[in-house]
Amino acid sequence: MAESDNIVVETAEKIFADLADPQTINNDKKNAWQAPLWRALSEAGLPLSWVPDDLGGSGASLADGFALLNAAGRFAVAVPLAETMLAGWLLAQAKIASPEGEMTVLPASPKDRITLDADGSLSGRARGVPYAKAAKHFAVLAHGKDGASIALVDAGKGRIESGLNVGYDHSDTVTLDKVQPITLKPAPKGVDQTTLMLMGGVARSLQIAGALESMLDISVRYSNERVAFEKKISKFQAVQHNLARLAGESAAALAAATSAADAIANATSFNDEVYLEAASAKIRCAEAAEKGGAIAHQVHGAIGFTLEHILHRYSLRALAWRDDFGSESHWAVELGKLVANRGADELWPLVASR
């Protein structure tokens, strides 16, 4: 398992280093980097990591895919890699083959619903859908009178209202109006909208943790280069204190995200243990994104806010990712409901066993 993980991550990191260097991307106003990066990722089979071989994917494990997402976060990758992976995973739950090209999932918010009509068509509105504008297909979780279904939809059949998140990446509104899917199958038992939100939330948590790792590295490097009052600012106690706080937020986010990923990778279903881990990870990583980003910019001073500096590529995306697939406030409320309904005494053994 460890060797496989290393191969997946090493392959991804080499591609990211060659084609997704943050400073190069920052200076490319025409976005000429996107097509070569996506082509290289696709040739390596990374966007369909969670899709079995017989359904057109790479057949990597959940653990491999989670490690890949953490690496993508460390490079603040601004292509629909995570979204395509999630879409492929959702389709694979219903044994639907994944097509080539960019995909994303609907819905991307726990409050939105896509309904399955009696004639087999899909209707509904989904807000804050990452990279819907760039997607060629949607993987849709729909609700009908007989339960949940999973569908593959041609993205051209939906109406897309363009939007941007705080990281300047597409976060669009998609409306489906009596759209006939390419393929439609019942969702297996245990796969519902909460399952999708938890899976997406852990993906975002890993990306946030990766971004925080890079923000820490960038901040430490800058503090050792910047000279004020004839000495490096890393020698000042206030800066050292801030870097220690940033390291703490980064470590906490990574611990929470990897623990949740491990819980999903080793569970046979999305049970209460997975729910606790995934919801807690999204809450803690969202908190770390806010606190960690603020600290990193404070270390850099005014230079960290300029468009020419790469820090904002990480901090703004981390802030944007905390709202996808349920915000921290949403999961805090839902986690509180679970504890209230089940009781702390009943849930504590699940936490302690981790």
Side-chain angles (χ1 to χ4, degrees):
M1 176 68 72
E3 181 180 357
S4 176
D5 289 345
N6 289 336
I7 291 173
V8 171
V9 174
E10 287 173 7
T11 300
E13 288 183 337
K14 186 178 187 306
I15 293 173
F16 295 150
D18 291 343
L19 300 173
D21 172 68
Q23 192 61 65
T24 301
I25 292 174
N26 222 30
N27 296 329
D28 182 1
K29 307 305 180 185
K30 297 183 179 179
N31 293 327
W33 56 271
Q34 289 182 336
L37 173 60
W38 186 259
R39 184 163 55 248
L41 292 171
S42 298
E43 289 172 355
L46 298 178
L48 298 182
S49 296
W50 283 332
V51 178
D53 296 340
D54 59 346
L55 294 177
S58 305
S61 68
L62 284 171
D64 290 340
F66 285 136
L68 168 58
L69 290 172
N70 185 240
R74 291 197 295 273
F75 284 84
V77 173
V79 292
L81 173 61
E83 293 73 19
T84 302
M85 288 174 62
L86 285 168
W89 171 83
L90 180 61
L91 293 172
Q93 302 310 299
K95 308 300 182 184
I96 299 175
S98 290
E100 294 182 357
E102 298 91 333
M103 293 192 289
T104 192
V105 291
L106 304 182
S109 168
K111 295 182 179 180
D112 293 333
R113 288 288 186 275
I114 304 298
T115 59
L116 174 63
D117 299 323
D119 61 356
S121 64
L122 302 174
S123 298
R125 187 167 179 261
R127 299 160 296 175
V129 179
Y131 293 103
K133 197 74 173 178
K136 294 180 174 61
H137 294 90
F138 300 142
V140 182
L141 184 69
H143 296 82
K145 63 181 181 63
D146 296 324
S149 296
I150 297 171
L152 174 65
V153 174
D154 182 348
K157 301 295 185 180
R159 185 171 72 252
I160 301 173
E161 301 171 41
S162 296
L164 296 175
N165 60 27
V166 296
Y168 301 101
D169 295 325
H170 271 285
S171 181
D172 310 308
T173 297
V174 178
T175 302
L176 303 180
D177 185 13
K178 298 291 185 179
V179 172
Q180 289 291 338
I182 298 172
T183 308
L184 176 72
K185 292 185 178 181
K189 183 179 179 180
V191 177
D192 55 19
Q193 187 152 329
T194 298
T195 303
L196 176 58
M197 294 301 114
L198 291 172
M199 191 72 175
V202 172
R204 286 297 192 245
S205 296
L206 288 161
Q207 289 177 284
I208 289 171
L212 283 165
E213 288 182 82
S214 292
M215 281 190 269
L216 176 60
D217 290 341
I218 293 168
S219 298
V220 170
R221 186 167 61 247
Y222 176 78
S223 71
N224 284 317
E225 295 171 350
R226 180 77 168 91
V227 174
F229 303 107
E230 299 183 349
K231 65 178 181 180
K232 297 176 181 178
I233 65 171
S234 61
K235 302 297 183 181
F236 290 97
Q237 188 174 9
V239 174
Q240 293 173 353
H241 177 66
N242 275 338
L243 290 174
R245 290 172 56 213
L246 177 54
E249 293 297 330
S250 175
L254 184 61
T258 54
S259 181
D262 182 62
I264 292 176
N266 291 292
T268 56
S269 65
F270 278 72
N271 52 29
D272 283 344
E273 179 183 349
V274 170
Y275 193 106
L276 281 167
E277 291 276 1
S280 299
K282 189 67 191 305
I283 294 167
R284 187 61 185 91
C285 289
E287 180 183 354
E290 181 181 7
K291 292 182 177 179
I295 296 168
H297 280 283
Q298 188 173 13
V299 170
H300 281 77
I303 192 174
F305 289 93
T306 62
L307 291 178
E308 289 76 16
H309 202 279
I310 63 171
L311 181 61
H312 67 85
R313 291 193 58 80
Y314 297 91
S315 61
L316 292 181
R317 282 189 174 81
L319 290 174
W321 290 333
R322 66 181 183 166
D323 289 329
D324 291 339
F325 304 104
S327 65
E328 60 188 296
S329 59
H330 166 79
W331 288 116
V333 170
E334 294 303 309
L335 197 56
K337 289 179 181 177
L338 176 64
V339 173
N341 291 333
R342 295 289 302 276
D345 292 341
E346 184 177 350
L347 294 173
W348 172 247
L350 299 178
V351 179
S353 66
R354 299 292 300 168

